[in-house]
Amino acid sequence: MIVTGVLSIILPALALILQCVFAGFSILCIPSIAAVIFAALAFWKKGPVLAMVTVFAAFIQVCTLNIQLTAILGLLSAAAAVFLMIECEKFREAHPELADPKAATKQMIIGFILPCAITLLVMYAYPVVRTFLMSFFDMPNITAPIAEWTFAGLGKYSKIFASQSFIRSIQNMLMIWIFGGVLTLALALLFAVILTSGIRFKKFFRAAIYMPNVISAVALATMWIQYIFNQQYGMLNSIIKFFNGTPINWLATDMKFWAMLGSFIFGAVGYYMLIFISGIEKIPADLYEAATIDGANKAQQAFKITFPLLKGVTKTNLTFWTINTATFYLWSKMFSPVDTEASVIVPVMYLYDTAFPSKGNIQADAGAAAAVGIVLAVIILAVYLIMNKVIKDDDIEL
């Protein structure tokens, strides 16, 4: 077991070193790291399930490594892990006194969880760590290996905060979050209260309000731009002309932001309404019956029972709204399809233009784009922590 255990650790480690030397460290190295870790755990714990996961990681390593020698080492490490798995099983059978009554259950849990953990590590943790590191470096392009990076310290953060476009994008994002959030969540809560009050045709109204979420956002934005805001034949100007008014250029620079925000709110209300409805429907009916007996009307019941018991749901909606605001991009791009306009620019659009500039005279800066992503992540985290402090959980268990 000692020989196979050492080989199952050394071979993927050697493949990892060669991959880093010849191709640079990248996401393709993650399976090799996982194979080394699980091989060490299997050898230490004498666990056949851990050895089986090592085999799985080694085979992924073979598929991802792009150097012939490292692929061969991956195959050898997989073979060594197979023998390690067999020897671990024999060791367990030869030492029944070491057996844990709950070991089979634990190994089963580990066996099911570890592949998901590896996938999460590869698909989520690595990009996050790499983006954080990129924000402190200069690099030729976004896919350049680490060997070509040049340390820049906090220079990238200084660069973006000195940019007027980035400051304007943050201002626009805050306006979307504040004004759009108030209108969206207020309308969503109002519709949720109305639709749970026992009105007729509530299923129809619920489906109708949610319908914009089913339609593609691109199609929805196009509908607003072409059929609602169009200066010549748009619905709003048609109504104005009907009353002998002067048509308004809704897509002018000074109006475009509010036109974009209004159309976005139209498509977002239904989503948050359903979340509020799910929270209202969990409130015990006994509370409303008791309030009715005490003489409380519908408005008093809403302010004294419904709203206070929706604090947890409100916190969830605020979190989702913050994430949607921070990742706001498509609507800005639809309202500014050619050149990014200051009136509708948002941080994600600034990030994209920084990493992949459309104008030939602008230098791409992947490090600055990564810094924008980190700033947005910090903003979302800060809002979430503040909401957890300000908005406490419901006093009554629903």
Side-chain angles (χ1 to χ4, degrees):
M1 181 183 292
I2 295 177
V3 176
T4 54
V6 172
L7 286 176
S8 62
I9 297 172
I10 291 178
L11 290 173
L14 185 58
L16 173 63
I17 293 172
L18 291 175
Q19 181 73 14
C20 291
V21 170
F22 291 105
F25 183 81
S26 67
I27 193 171
L28 301 178
C29 298
I30 299 297
S32 301
I33 298 174
V36 173
I37 293 173
F38 292 124
L41 289 174
F43 180 64
W44 177 40
K45 293 289 187 179
K46 306 296 187 296
V49 174
L50 292 171
M52 180 179 66
V53 175
T54 305
V55 177
F56 174 74
F59 276 115
I60 296 179
Q61 177 188 24
V62 174
C63 298
T64 55
L65 296 179
N66 53 12
I67 300 175
Q68 186 175 5
L69 179 59
T70 56
I72 294 173
L73 290 173
L75 285 173
L76 293 176
S77 65
V82 170
F83 285 107
L84 178 62
M85 180 175 62
I86 295 173
E87 292 184 7
C88 287
E89 190 65 37
K90 290 181 178 179
F91 179 84
R92 290 294 183 91
E93 293 177 355
H95 297 81
E97 70 279 2
L98 300 178
D100 185 355
K102 298 181 179 179
T105 302
K106 292 179 180 178
Q107 291 182 13
M108 182 69 70
I109 294 173
I110 293 173
F112 280 109
I113 290 178
L114 285 181
C116 298
I118 295 172
T119 304
L120 181 65
L121 185 68
V122 172
M123 301 301 295
Y124 178 75
Y126 171 75
V128 170
V129 173
R130 183 182 174 91
T131 301
F132 179 74
L133 293 176
M134 285 173 59
S135 67
F136 298 100
F137 287 85
D138 273 316
M139 59 203 66
N141 54 69
I142 200 168
T143 59
I146 295 179
E148 300 179 13
W149 295 6
T150 304
F151 184 69
L154 297 175
K156 299 302 178 183
Y157 292 93
S158 300
K159 177 181 177 180
I160 63 174
F161 280 107
S163 170
Q164 291 298 319
S165 296
F166 179 70
I167 299 300
R168 181 61 186 272
S169 71
I170 292 292
Q171 292 173 349
N172 287 343
M173 184 186 71
L174 288 176
M175 291 174 67
I176 293 171
W177 187 75
I178 296 172
F179 295 110
V182 170
L183 287 173
T184 301
L185 298 184
L187 288 173
L189 182 57
L190 175 63
F191 290 148
V193 171
I194 293 173
L195 293 178
T196 53
S197 63
I199 66 169
R200 300 177 62 187
F201 308 113
K202 66 177 182 179
K203 292 183 179 179
F204 168 78
F205 289 119
R206 183 185 301 183
I209 296 172
Y210 185 75
M211 183 63 70
N213 291 271
V214 179
I215 303 172
S216 167
V218 175
L220 193 62
T222 303
M223 179 194 74
W224 278 89
I225 293 170
Q226 297 297 330
Y227 303 116
I228 307 295
F229 295 130
N230 189 280
Q231 190 173 8
Q232 296 180 354
Y233 52 83
M235 185 187 72
L236 291 179
N237 280 337
S238 297
I239 296 174
I240 293 174
K241 290 177 182 178
F242 180 80
F243 291 100
N244 298 320
T246 303
I248 299 173
N249 186 2
W250 300 98
L251 299 179
T253 302
D254 56 342
M255 293 289 294
K256 184 173 284 189
F257 175 82
W258 299 108
M260 177 189 70
L261 182 58
S263 56
F264 175 67
I265 291 173
F266 172 82
V269 167
Y271 175 78
Y272 297 97
M273 178 197 69
L274 288 185
I275 299 176
F276 276 126
I277 287 176
S278 67
I280 293 173
E281 290 178 343
K282 289 182 180 179
I283 299 176
D286 297 346
L287 296 178
Y288 293 105
E289 293 175 1
T292 302
I293 293 173
D294 290 339
N297 56 35
K298 291 294 183 181
Q300 291 172 328
Q301 292 177 19
F303 283 98
K304 297 295 184 179
I305 299 176
T306 304
F307 296 161
L309 294 181
L310 287 179
K311 288 185 292 185
V313 177
T314 302
K315 182 165 63 175
T316 300
N317 270 339
L318 282 172
T319 303
F320 287 161
W321 177 255
T322 302
I323 295 172
N324 289 335
T325 303
T327 57
F328 194 91
Y329 174 78
L330 190 145
W331 287 86
S332 292
K333 194 64 179 176
M334 291 299 298
F335 276 78
S336 180
V338 181
D339 290 329
T340 302
E341 299 180 23
S343 59
V344 295
I345 189 173
V346 288
V348 176
M349 181 176 280
Y350 177 82
L351 183 156
Y352 184 85
D353 290 341
T354 303
F356 309 103
S358 57
K359 296 180 180 180
N361 59 345
I362 298 178
Q363 182 71 28
D365 193 341
V372 175
I374 298 300
V375 170
L376 290 178
V378 170
I379 290 174
I380 294 174
L381 180 62
V383 172
Y384 175 75
L385 294 176
I386 292 172
M387 285 191 300
N388 278 342
K389 281 287 186 180
V390 174
I391 305 176
K392 302 298 182 180
D393 291 334
D394 299 330
D395 297 329
I396 298 178
E397 187 69 26
L398 300 180

